[in-house]
Amino acid sequence: MDRIAVISDIHGNWPACEAVLEDIASRGISRVFCLGDLIGKGPSPCEVLDAIRQHCEVVVRGNWDELVSITDDLNFSWQAERLGAERVQYLAQLPFHYDFRMSGRRIRLVHASPQSVYHRVQPWDEPAKRLAMFDPLAEESGKVPFAPEVVGYGDVHNAFIQHFQGKTLFNVGSVGNPLDITQASYCILEGQWGEEQLTPFSIQFVRVPYDIELAVKQAEEADVPSLAYYIRELRTGIYRGIQDLD
């Protein structure tokens, strides 16, 4: 059986990134795929990006990865200044998706949805919106679509798995900015790589405790933009868009 670790949304949180990479290595897993948002929010974009380039076989583009090169908003320009031109260019050129077969399943990995890196789909959204995660990509227009039976993504920082109409949708959660449980999250896919016939296949969810207060200290020392919101998200898992700070 082949095993692939799938990570996402590290968001410049080096203590969380390091803990997850160490956990993956401790399990003897050598193949790692990343679903984007390497940078943003956290204070260590360079350390995280360089580690992902070193350890990940596949990396797809997230919304923060794209926006860091096209907007002057302080949240992004702060990151771009630290990353430098070469790293920013690397992020901008990342692919939108990755398709493969495993244990007879067609599997598609994207950051947010097949529509866009900005099109957000939550586990509680209406069924039609969640089923649209299996829609063809725009680039497949006029071609025979890949028609995935399993779709994995990141973006919303809520780990979950759902089955409907013979399809499986799963979210790997967030390594560096989880918004469900305040522990780093990732998934392990286990099956036979490239196999056309149905064989056993599994998706395992893993939670990894990490030093949250170290991540807070690093963010404070770096004086990251939106610091108070970022610290609350790390400590509580409450998204900054849910309610204002007192």
Side-chain angles (χ1 to χ4, degrees), residues 195-243:
E195 175 59 54
E196 299 285 341
Q197 301 299 316
L198 286 174
T199 59
F201 172 76
S202 67
I203 302 172
Q204 177 185 356
F205 287 79
V206 183
R207 304 308 292 231
V208 182
Y210 74 96
D211 192 338
I212 292 175
E213 291 310 310
L214 176 58
V216 167
K217 180 181 178 182
Q218 291 177 351
E220 290 174 333
E221 290 175 346
D223 194 23
V224 298
S226 305
L227 176 62
Y229 289 100
Y230 178 63
I231 290 174
R232 187 180 71 176
E233 286 180 351
L234 293 184
R235 286 175 170 166
T236 70
I238 298 174
Y239 178 51
R240 63 189 67 189
I242 296 297
Q243 62 186 39

Side-chain angles (χ1 to χ4, degrees), residues 84-106:
E86 191 277 331
R87 290 189 181 95
V88 169
Q89 183 180 33
Y90 166 81
L91 292 171
Q93 294 177 344
L94 289 173
F96 178 73
H97 74 290
Y98 184 71
D99 296 340
F100 61 101
R101 293 176 183 266
M102 194 174 198
S103 290
R105 283 105 175 144
R106 295 184 297 272

Side-chain angles (χ1 to χ4, degrees), residues 132-198:
M133 292 292 286
F134 301 91
D135 285 353
L137 302 174
E139 65 187 54
E140 294 178 316
S141 178
K143 305 176 183 178
V144 177
F146 181 71
E149 298 147 315
V150 179
V151 170
Y153 73 115
D155 184 55
V156 297
H157 303 200
N158 287 287
F160 73 92
I161 186 168
Q162 296 177 353
H163 306 280
F164 32 54
Q165 298 187 18
K167 303 177 188 297
T168 299
L169 177 65
F170 72 97
N171 190 290
V172 302
S174 171
V175 169
N177 189 212
L179 298 175
D180 44 15
I181 299 171
T182 55
Q183 296 176 6
S185 177
Y186 75 98
C187 284
I188 298 170
L189 308 184
E190 187 172 36
Q192 291 181 282
W193 177 263
E195 175 59 54
E196 299 285 341
Q197 301 299 316
L198 286 174

